[in-house]
Every structure is written in structure tokens, then in C-alpha cells.
Amino acid sequence: HRGLEIVSWVLSGTLLHNDESAVRHGTVQHVSAGDGIVHSEGNGGDDELRFVQMWVLGEPGELGEPAYRTGPVDLPDATFRVTQGPTRLAAAPFVHVYVATGTATIAGVGLSAGDEARITDEAVDVEADGELLVWDLR
């Protein structure tokens, strides 16, 4: 990969990155691909691995070391975060919501795990009983 910001969220199991770093549920992995990265990912345990990986255009440059955190990932043109339960999504030029687990109702529309919603330029109330992966793109 080159010129990408790569964000991974584990739904279940253990994601092994480059045969070194184990990523488990509740941890976000973020890698800046910079001028180019060759890497491997695979199942790091005996249980089934399920994860979501999202790519956002970044800038070529230095390769960033993988970062692991439990909070949001702030990038120059986007923020990634995980929410649970009722929340209000602020108005933004483009918001992408992925229902990772459970169900959600966004602007009166019912969604299930695996569904997504794209929201532009309006604030919306969300009812959810699972995890939502939210991208605020600027």
C-alpha cells in the first residue's frame, strides 16, 4: 500500500500484524503507509478472526509505525471512532457509519450488523445496542 491511512478494528478473535503485534477487540490499529508498505495480517489465535479494515487516502511520506489505541484516530482529513449506545452525530461534510455489531436506528432508519449509512451536512440522533464505527470526513 502507498499513500493510505489504514485503520483496523477487530470484531472477534486476534489479528496478528507482521507476525509481531496482536490486535484484539477494543483496540484500533492505525498504520500510515507513507511512500509504501508491505505487510501481512492473519489470524493470531485459535478462534475465528473477524475484523473491519478501512483505508483513507493519506499523503506519501515517511512510513509510520503501527499505532494501537482504544480512543479515536485523528487524521488530517478524518476522524475514526467507535461508539456504543445512544449518541448524536454532529453535522459534518460527510459521515460514514458502519454497524459492526447489534442494531441501530439512524434518522428513523433501522440498520443491522453489516449495514452502513452515509450522512452529509446534518446532525442526527442515533439509537444503538451495539458497536458503530464512525468516520467523520472533512
Side-chain angles (χ1 to χ4, degrees), residues 47-90:
D47 296 333
E48 176 187 43
L49 170 63
R50 292 180 53 240
F51 69 102
V52 177
Q53 187 170 81
M54 298 137 293
W55 301 350
V56 176
L57 290 177
E59 295 294 327
E62 288 188 36
L63 173 65
E65 288 296 317
Y68 306 92
R69 61 186 62 128
T70 57
V73 176
D74 289 314
L75 304 172
D77 295 323
T79 298
F80 169 80
R81 60 190 159 85
V82 178
T83 66
Q84 295 179 334
T87 190
R88 180 159 179 83
L89 301 176

Side-chain angles (χ1 to χ4, degrees), residues 1 3 16 31 36 50 63 67-68 73 84 86 90 93 95 98 119 133:
H1 307 292
L16 190 61
V31 178
R50 292 180 53 240
L63 173 65
Y68 306 92
V73 176
Q84 295 179 334
V95 177
Y98 177 79
I119 305 157
L133 310 183

Side-chain angles (χ1 to χ4, degrees), residues 18-34:
N18 286 338
D19 295 329
E20 298 172 3
S21 304
V23 184
R24 293 175 182 80
H25 183 261
T27 303
V28 176
Q29 177 193 50
H30 169 229
V31 178
S32 292

